[in-house]
Amino acid sequence: MAESSIAPAPPTPEAVRPPATSVGVLGWLRANLFNSPFNSVLTVLALAALVYLIPGIVQWLLLEAHWQATPEICRAAEDGACWAFIREKFRYIMFGFYPLEQQWRPTLAMLLFVVLIGLSTQRRFWNRGLLLAWAALMMASYVLMAGGILGLEAVSNDKWGGLPLTLMLSVVGILLAFPLGILLALGRRSDMPAIKAVCVGYIELIRGVPLISVLFMASVMFPLFLPEGVTIDKLLRAQAAIILFAAAYLAEVVRGGLQAVPKGQYEAAAALGLSYWQTTGLIILPQALRIAIPPIVNTFIGLFKDTSLVVIISLFDLMTTTKTSLTDPQWLGFSVEAYLFTGLIYFVCCFFMSRFSQYLEQHLRKGRER
């Protein structure tokens, strides 16, 4: 019998490999940098600019920089950065007028904040114990900074400054403004006219003025309405102003998330016989917060940077201590180094928040992917 002339079957789709230029590093470059003639030209121009600029920047920042020098040497040598200025003014920029021998206290408070922030990024720690830990941290940080008990020397808050003050104002502001913003958003969508009117009035009033005006009112105008002999700490007034201001913006962000939840979710909850608070807490609010993660984090980043406005009430945050350090007659003219150093600190903090929001979005999206 003659041999069969039937051709072999073609390979299955699983056996076909994609082209080498569509996977791996080459695939990523082609998809993101060279996916069109226009983008290819932009990529080449950007690479050429980097090749031209980076050597000079590295030389100025590191190779020709002065790490230990006098102001006169730094001024005479204009070919490199004068990081000796940062070395000389580091303690003042970081801690302001806080007593030198007591600066271990704000350092410890910052470390505690960083550790707890790191723990808060892990979902396995999201429980009531974390809330108690944050409450304990806020009290412990105030005790460390203020002193007066447990054998710690008392330090008035007009000497607080630098990064610890910025960190405390922003983190505490975020922690307390977030739940208040959620309540305001729920109140604005309430069916009760009185509650809705109060929430709408508050949100529109606060969002209609800049933060600097709110801080000015809290510092100058608010004490005028207090009974004679009653005073409220200046730092506490500033913290309250930041919380109230941020809560109004967060309320609108959360309200946008609530409106984005499909109506069918409400109907399904009603069909299950769930109460208003069960529906809100178990079904609607988690979805709304997941949807609103990007604008929420954007508000947090803005709040962290807006703490520099507390200079209006004579509080020396990180940016203010940086500006003040430049007024030293012996170290005039090194503003580039000062603002680069401070800008790096702000960038690291804001970049961390941005990356965590992306991680959180991807992690929460897994439960919806099929």
Side-chain angles (χ1 to χ4, degrees):
M1 184 176 181
E3 296 182 358
S4 176
S5 59
I6 299 176
T12 60
E14 291 78 10
V16 177
R17 295 183 179 181
T21 56
S22 63
V23 295
V25 177
L26 292 178
W28 184 89
L29 291 174
R30 185 177 180 181
N32 295 276
L33 301 181
F34 299 96
N35 54 357
S36 68
F38 180 72
N39 286 344
S40 299
V41 172
L42 289 180
T43 300
V44 172
L45 292 177
L47 290 175
L50 291 175
V51 170
Y52 176 77
L53 294 174
I54 286 180
I57 294 174
V58 171
Q59 183 176 4
W60 185 83
L61 285 175
L62 301 173
L63 300 181
E64 301 294 337
H66 302 278
W67 303 92
Q68 295 182 359
T70 62
E72 292 75 17
I73 294 177
C74 285
R75 293 192 185 94
E78 299 179 355
D79 53 348
C82 183
W83 299 120
F85 168 79
I86 302 299
R87 182 186 181 92
E88 177 70 21
K89 298 294 183 181
F90 178 80
R91 286 183 174 271
Y92 177 76
I93 292 175
M94 295 297 291
F95 302 108
F97 295 104
Y98 208 89
L100 181 62
E101 66 279 1
Q102 300 292 328
Q103 287 180 0
W104 65 269
R105 290 156 52 181
T107 302
L108 179 58
M110 285 194 299
L111 290 176
L112 292 175
F113 269 106
V114 172
V115 169
L116 199 49
I117 289 172
L119 294 177
S120 300
T121 60
Q122 306 298 318
R123 289 198 67 183
R124 62 178 180 271
F125 296 112
W126 292 3
N127 48 46
R128 294 181 180 179
L130 185 62
L131 296 177
L132 296 176
W134 272 111
L137 175 60
M138 286 189 283
M139 292 186 291
S141 62
Y142 180 82
V143 171
L144 281 172
M145 295 290 290
I149 59 175
L150 302 177
L152 298 175
E153 178 183 342
V155 179
S156 58
N157 57 31
D158 58 346
K159 295 182 179 179
W160 300 8
L163 185 57
L165 181 62
T166 296
L167 198 61
M168 291 180 65
L169 288 174
S170 57
V171 173
V172 175
I174 289 171
L175 288 174
L176 298 182
F178 187 60
L180 179 58
I182 292 175
L183 292 176
L184 288 170
L186 294 175
R188 182 158 189 168
R189 290 172 53 85
S190 174
D191 295 329
M192 301 179 182
I195 294 179
K196 183 175 182 179
V198 171
C199 293
V200 170
Y202 171 82
I203 293 171
E204 297 302 328
L205 176 63
I206 297 297
R207 293 177 71 243
V209 296
L211 176 58
I212 195 170
S213 299
V214 180
L215 289 170
F216 180 79
M217 290 288 293
S219 177
V220 179
M221 301 299 296
F222 180 72
L224 299 178
F225 298 94
L226 296 177
E228 185 176 354
V230 177
T231 59
I232 298 179
D233 186 77
K234 177 174 63 176
L235 179 61
L236 183 59
R237 297 199 303 267
Q239 185 70 82
I242 291 174
I243 293 170
L244 296 176
F245 184 83
Y249 281 85
L250 285 171
E252 288 297 275
V253 171
V254 175
R255 182 171 70 93
L258 292 171
Q259 291 179 337
V261 177
K263 186 178 179 181
Q265 299 293 314
Y266 293 90
E267 295 173 349
L272 293 173
L274 299 180
S275 66
Y276 170 80
W277 290 110
Q278 289 175 327
T279 301
T280 301
L282 299 177
I283 298 177
I284 304 302
L285 194 56
Q287 297 183 66
L289 295 179
R290 180 186 57 81
I291 295 171
I293 286 176
I296 287 174
V297 175
N298 184 62
T299 304
F300 289 169
I301 292 174
L303 177 63
F304 179 77
K305 294 183 291 186
D306 284 345
T307 53
S308 59
L309 296 176
V310 295
V311 65
I312 192 66
I313 55 177
S314 302
L315 291 176
F316 282 56
D317 72 307
L318 178 61
M319 183 59 69
T320 306
T321 55
T322 302
K323 293 179 181 179
T324 309
S325 66
L326 295 170
T327 60
D328 188 344
Q330 295 183 352
W331 291 93
L332 293 176
F334 301 106
S335 58
V336 175
E337 292 85 346
Y339 289 125
L340 278 176
F341 175 73
T342 305
L344 179 62
I345 295 176
Y346 277 102
F347 172 78
V348 169
C349 297
C350 296
F351 182 74
F352 167 78
M353 288 188 280
S354 176
R355 294 298 298 177
F356 176 67
S357 71
Q358 294 179 17
Y359 160 78
L360 196 59
E361 284 184 86
Q362 295 174 358
H363 186 76
L364 296 177
R365 192 183 298 125
K366 292 179 181 178
R368 299 177 60 86
E369 293 179 348
R370 295 182 179 178

